[in-house]
Amino acid sequence: MTINVGSDDGVRPFDAVVNGEGLVGRVESVTASASQVQLLTDQKSYVDAIVLPGRAEGLAAGSVTGSMTLRYVDKSEEVKQGQLIVTSGRSGSVFIRGIPIGQVQSVGAQEVQLYQSITLSPAVDFRKLDIVMVVKR
């Protein structure tokens, strides 16, 4: 996605892009008057995330189909359908803590797997994306 603000406006690569619903993505590249945004649902998108309420941490990941998963959540962590997923803001992370990413859609675990299988529904409706805001780091 391309937005109409760039380096002349103070935008830099890795700045967060949000709307009123939550995290849209991050700035990938910048020209003087425009920026390319990597969407949260992109297959190359990974965001440090935390489940609320609770303290389970994982990596929110996009996919080729545009669906999202929460990866690397230990099986010992209690995660339930409907819980909120937000940016973790952990040290070294691109994003500040607390930006909504999505909601837990389903949770599964198999005996032979180390981590839970968690699918997310994004907080942002990407089909109706119109106005966004860049959060400078």
Side-chain angles (χ1 to χ4, degrees), residues 24-45:
V24 172
R26 76 179 112 223
V27 174
E28 196 170 39
S29 61
V30 180
T31 66
S33 61
S35 300
Q36 188 67 34
V37 176
Q38 180 187 53
L39 298 177
L40 186 61
T41 54
D42 185 278
Q43 67 180 344
K44 296 177 184 172
S45 176

Side-chain angles (χ1 to χ4, degrees), residues 49-56 80 82-87 97-98 102 104:
I50 190 166
V51 180
L52 298 177
R55 303 210 33 88
K80 297 179 184 175
Q83 283 184 288
L84 181 64
I85 309 296
V86 300
T87 54
R97 183 181 177 100
V104 175

Side-chain angles (χ1 to χ4, degrees), residues 49-58 70 72-74 76-79 83-86 88 116 118:
I50 190 166
V51 180
L52 298 177
R55 303 210 33 88
E57 292 189 30
L70 185 62
Y72 310 116
V73 177
D74 193 88
S76 65
E77 297 284 358
E78 187 175 338
V79 178
Q83 283 184 288
L84 181 64
I85 309 296
V86 300
S88 70
Q116 297 181 55
I118 301 172

